Amino acid sequence: MTTVDPSQAQDVWKDVGKNVEFVSLALTRADQATAQAAVQEFADRSQAIIRSMRIREPEADLRVSIGFSNSAWDYLFPNAAKPKELETFAGVSGPEYSMPSTPGDLFLHIRANDQAVIYEVVAQYQQFLGEFTTVLDEVKGFRYLEGRAIIGYIDGTEAPQVEDAAPYALVGDEDPEFINGSYLFTQKWIHDMDKWNGLSVEHQDRAVGRQKFSDLELPDEEKAENAHNLASNTGDDNKIIRMNVPFSNPAEKITGTYFMGYARHWETTKEMLQQMVDMSDFLLTFSELKTGTLYFIPSRPLLDEIAGGELN
């Protein structure tokens, strides 16, 4: 019987980082054999780059996750087994709002204390990715004041602590070929900050379900019926590792949240998303969702197998 081993996983824990970069890439699909060979080289070189940067800048606390979507898996590894729950996100709809599905093949989630380290990692990665991919989206996030979400509330209070995260984040014996991997769902939200900031703090508290200053949870009877912490809560046994990262071009008045959800079971995340639209989560009333894509984050040993050409 195999056992989950967090040391064999990529960096899927709740350590948002001071600086963050998200890169979504599409395969050009010009030549399958060339793309397969290039991904094998990247799987190898990417881990060497991480090790090198951790030696060069040990205080940067570099963390990296690399993911593959369902479409990418089918193209790059057509003869290999596939994670049981890996699929193409089809979007979800509710009575008032919907969450879109958007394309993506490869995904990079990179965070560090030093933005220069992130720059160097992405620049080096692109030396190997640039010839067979195109960039769909690139977002630079940051740690907001006191680690709060961009709307001013403490983020992730209900997420499992790092020491408790493995059972919620990592695939286990239910899919032994992919043990220590994780399902990552990504979403890019753009907020109407003028609309949000025009609400009283009391109104905002009811909308989120917590007190803004103290972070204390409100009694259920004081929350709005579609309060965010009600709409996004699917029970203590169905938690995921959430990382909500602020990003902004403030002069252009473009401000948003990049939502990351790592999970042992994609079905858990999907249930949460459906509940959010079914309840018309208050956050949706002043937000526009731009993306929605599911990726699988292989374990580090599985990345080694990809590097060795064992998954083709």
Side-chain angles (χ1 to χ4, degrees):
M1 181 177 179
T2 51
T3 304
V4 169
D5 183 356
S7 71
Q8 299 300 300
Q10 293 194 64
D11 293 314
V12 303
W13 317 115
K14 186 173 176 57
D15 51 347
V16 173
K18 291 183 179 179
N19 299 281
V20 193
E21 187 152 340
F22 310 102
V23 184
S24 177
L25 302 165
L27 297 167
T28 58
R29 288 175 166 75
D31 181 82
Q32 188 178 27
T34 298
Q36 289 170 326
V39 163
Q40 290 170 22
E41 182 177 17
F42 171 68
D44 180 40
R45 295 295 193 104
S46 65
Q47 303 309 291
I49 290 168
I50 293 171
R51 293 192 296 270
S52 173
M53 289 306 303
R54 286 175 175 168
I55 293 170
R56 294 170 64 187
E57 293 289 337
E59 301 303 316
D61 195 25
L62 172 66
R63 306 296 177 96
V64 180
S65 293
I66 298 166
F68 300 84
S69 71
N70 185 50
S71 61
W73 198 279
D74 287 344
Y75 185 75
L76 296 169
F77 319 121
N79 301 314
K82 187 159 64 174
K84 288 181 179 179
E85 296 185 49
L86 183 58
E87 63 178 10
T88 299
F89 176 58
V92 293
S93 296
E96 295 181 82
Y97 304 103
S98 62
M99 294 183 174
S101 166
T102 52
D105 288 316
L106 305 181
F107 190 80
L108 309 176
H109 177 199
I110 303 170
R111 60 265 204 211
N113 294 334
D114 190 338
Q115 180 64 39
V117 170
I118 295 176
Y119 162 79
E120 187 68 16
V121 170
V122 175
Q124 290 192 26
Y125 278 8
Q126 282 301 99
Q127 292 183 40
F128 304 100
L129 293 169
E131 292 188 5
F132 69 99
T133 66
T134 57
V135 178
L136 295 174
D137 196 29
E138 182 175 9
V139 176
K140 293 176 174 60
F142 56 90
R143 182 184 186 276
Y144 192 44
L145 304 175
E146 300 180 293
R148 294 177 182 265
I150 200 66
I151 60 173
Y153 286 77
I154 298 293
D155 182 59
T157 301
E158 298 300 324
Q161 294 293 319
V162 170
E163 58 269 21
D164 301 322
Y168 301 100
L170 300 181
V171 173
D173 292 333
E174 69 277 1
D175 199 0
E177 288 189 68
F178 299 98
I179 195 165
N180 299 316
S182 188
Y183 293 95
L184 169 64
F185 181 71
T186 68
Q187 248 179 358
K188 183 179 179 181
W189 296 55
I190 302 293
H191 305 307
D192 183 340
M193 295 301 292
D194 289 339
K195 183 175 182 178
W196 173 251
N197 290 328
L199 302 176
S200 68
V201 172
E202 291 76 13
H203 195 163
Q204 292 179 350
D205 286 351
R206 293 183 64 247
V208 173
R210 310 189 78 89
Q211 293 180 0
K212 194 170 194 176
F213 177 74
S214 68
D215 193 42
L216 290 174
E217 185 172 2
L218 297 178
D220 284 351
E221 62 271 16
E222 295 182 19
K223 300 175 184 177
E225 290 184 356
N226 61 341
H228 175 62
N229 69 355
L230 291 177
S232 62
N233 184 357
T234 54
D236 288 342
D237 293 333
N238 294 314
K239 292 182 181 292
I240 65 173
I241 309 304
R242 308 181 194 202
M243 299 188 205
N244 293 325
V245 181
F247 65 90
S248 183
N249 296 336
E252 298 178 280
K253 300 191 76 172
I254 299 174
T255 296
T257 298
Y258 210 101
F259 167 71
M260 309 281 292
Y262 287 102
R264 177 176 184 167
H265 295 290
W266 157 234
E267 289 298 322
T268 300
T269 308
K270 188 159 59 172
E271 179 184 350
M272 180 194 75
L273 300 173
Q274 186 65 59
Q275 182 170 289
M276 289 171 69
V277 295
D278 286 345
M279 294 181 63
S280 298
D281 187 325
F282 194 95
L283 297 191
L284 295 168
T285 68
F286 66 97
S287 304
E288 179 183 4
L289 274 67
K290 309 295 286 187
T291 67
T293 316
L294 173 66
Y295 300 92
F296 183 73
I297 310 298
S299 66
R300 292 190 299 106
L302 188 53
L303 280 178
D304 289 341
E305 291 183 29
I306 293 173
E310 299 176 42
L311 262 66
N312 285 343

